[in-house]
Amino acid sequence: MTAVDGLPFLRACRREPTDFTPIWLMRQAGRYLPEYRDLRARHGFLDLCKTPDAAAEITLQPVRRLGVDAAILFADILLPLEAMGAELVFAAGDGPVFPHPVRSREAAAALTPLDDAAAEERLGHVYEALRRVRRALAGRVPVIGFGGTPWTLASYLVEGGGSKQFAHLLGWSYRDPEGLALLLDRLADTSLAYLRGQLRAGAQAIQLFDTWGGILDQERYERLAVPPVLKILRGLRAAAPDRPIIYYLHGGSHLLPALARLPVDVLSVDWRLPLSTVRRALAAAGSGIGVLQGNLDPAALLAPIPEIERRVVELLAEGSGGGHVVNLGHGILPTTPVENARAFVECAQRLSASVPAAAR
Ligand code: CP3
């Protein structure tokens, strides 16, 4: 029996005391797991995403293997873009490709924004996978739903795939900021409908992934990227006021004063700043965000297990003095040995349990 009732991950997101510091790993469902690679050898990535049985099974794999405190639905942030009519291809060994990138107001206007009914119709497979995961977990482990922020979604849609320089997106942002804002607003409406569907299907928390917000300076981040994010956040709050919202930003240490004002429960950060520094920056900006998620460098899981354990001690100390959910600072690397991921989870749970909640 645990001393405190309720799921530790959800309690920690709400800054309630827990018996230990909960942990899950970004990209925990995926290529470092042999059982995922088995399935992937026989099926395309998008086919797996669109088959509720497979997506549910892949979601559960890391829960069984690692004993994490939250499941994250196996899906992708790019699925709603395909549902809006943008052709999306995952070629073998490559990342995502949009063969017809959206680079003008006309192309943006040709995308179909999804309302709740259209999201149910076109992305119902995601919701069905979520319902199956909820049934299989039977309340033992909570399930996180997720989406990308409009800026990060646009970075793939406008560039036509992954990018190093983001010349099309950034060029558009200087040439025609109002036109780009229309696209971002459209992506916000669709994202909100998509995420509301995930809440209806049983997602117990929502994480927004902002992988590329950090390419902007603070002033342009606030002007371009934040307004569509606020639209989503306000809509999520209205739909489910008590489900925690986690905001993940990669490479955005310089944006902390802007992030401090977001109406979210948890801020998830990369490894570039220690958690104590992030916490101080948020406090200095008068932030209401009391919980941090992160932030081990995913490459640290490639080290021998005693080194991982040493890093966990450090990470738990850094995370103390406020709410903390242990995680990586970005997705787990495909070359991570499963036993190292398992050791990270086990160490974080065991070592944090030996410290009383009040002292964490
Ligand atoms: O976290 C999880 O385990 C849940 C599932 C999940 C996936 N993608 C599955 C996936 C989540 C939460 C994502 C988020 C995602 N997708 C982001 C934001 C987080 C981040 O990592 O920055 C982004 C930018 C994408 C877009 C995307 N999907 C890219 C760039 C790629 C290719 C390169 C890569 O990182 O894997 C994908 C493919 C993808 N998404 C895979 C998985 C398991 C690998 C597909 C394969 O098996 O080949």
Side-chain angles (χ1 to χ4, degrees):
M1 277 301 282
T2 52
V4 282
D5 291 332
L7 296 163
F9 166 75
L10 295 177
R11 289 186 59 92
C13 289
R14 300 193 185 103
R15 232 195 140 171
E16 296 162 3
T18 52
D19 290 331
F20 63 95
T21 307
I23 174 169
W24 67 280
L25 311 185
M26 283 190 275
R27 296 295 192 95
Q28 65 189 18
R31 287 170 296 186
Y32 70 105
L33 282 180
E35 55 268 43
Y36 173 75
R37 284 201 301 270
D38 264 9
L39 273 171
R40 188 66 179 83
R42 287 176 278 125
H43 306 280
F45 173 65
L46 286 175
D47 291 339
L48 290 174
C49 288
K50 292 175 186 176
T51 310
D53 262 343
E57 163 58 23
I58 296 168
T59 303
L60 297 171
Q61 286 172 350
V63 177
R64 293 189 204 112
R65 272 277 201 165
L66 307 180
V68 282
D69 299 302
I72 182 159
L73 181 69
F74 178 80
D76 200 86
I77 62 167
L78 304 177
L79 296 179
L81 300 180
E82 189 191 41
M84 294 174 86
E87 187 188 344
L88 169 62
V89 192
F90 277 87
D94 291 336
V97 175
F98 288 98
H100 310 289
V102 171
R103 293 178 183 164
S104 65
R105 289 190 188 210
E106 294 69 39
L111 294 170
T112 316
L114 305 188
D115 59 11
D116 290 39
E120 286 286 347
E121 191 192 311
R122 296 185 189 195
L123 294 157
H125 53 86
V126 172
Y127 307 146
E128 183 51 30
L130 249 170
R131 285 189 289 267
R132 289 182 196 201
V133 170
R134 282 292 311 259
R135 274 201 297 277
L137 290 172
R140 283 174 285 121
V141 176
V143 186
I144 305 169
F146 71 92
T149 61
W151 177 262
T152 286
L153 294 176
S155 76
Y156 290 95
L157 186 63
V158 175
E159 294 299 327
S163 174
K164 284 207 166 65
Q165 291 173 333
F166 302 94
H168 294 289
L169 177 68
L170 293 173
W172 189 354
S173 75
Y174 281 106
R175 196 173 60 243
D176 175 27
E178 291 82 15
L180 180 58
L182 292 175
L183 170 65
L184 295 173
D185 187 60
R186 222 161 231 252
L187 297 179
D189 289 339
T190 288
S191 296
L192 181 55
Y194 176 51
L195 292 168
R196 267 200 301 249
Q198 293 188 34
L199 290 170
R200 279 196 302 275
Q204 288 152 289
I206 293 287
Q207 177 152 328
L208 281 182
F209 284 92
D210 194 355
T211 304
W212 299 114
I215 65 174
L216 292 166
D217 61 70
Q218 194 178 313
E219 194 267 323
R220 283 174 22 90
Y221 183 75
E222 296 205 63
R223 200 151 36 82
L224 289 161
V226 169
V229 160
L230 285 178
K231 195 173 194 184
I232 297 172
L233 293 175
R234 288 183 181 130
L236 290 177
R237 283 283 187 231
D242 53 356
R243 307 247 193 124
I245 305 177
I246 308 165
Y247 195 87
Y248 169 73
L249 189 80
H250 177 248
S253 299
H254 61 295
L255 300 176
L256 286 173
L259 299 171
R261 288 193 291 276
L262 293 180
V264 299
D265 303 281
V266 182
L267 185 67
S268 189
V269 292
D270 71 22
W271 60 92
R272 290 173 176 83
L273 284 179
L275 291 181
S276 59
T277 308
V278 175
R279 223 186 269 291
R280 271 198 305 277
L282 292 182
S287 182
I289 306 172
V291 183
L292 296 179
Q293 180 176 274
N295 68 343
L296 189 75
D297 182 345
L301 293 189
L302 304 177
I305 288 173
E307 174 63 16
I308 294 173
E309 180 149 356
R310 202 181 67 70
R311 296 276 167 185
V312 170
V313 172
E314 220 173 74
L315 180 55
L316 290 172
E318 275 295 330
S320 65
H324 186 198
V325 173
V326 178
N327 207 317
L328 297 169
H330 200 184
I332 188 168
L333 299 171
T335 51
T336 306
V338 177
E339 57 278 19
N340 291 19
R342 171 74 212 134
F344 179 38
V345 172
E346 188 275 323
C347 277
Q349 292 167 336
R350 175 170 44 84
L351 296 175
S352 62
S354 65
V355 180
R360 268 185 248 135

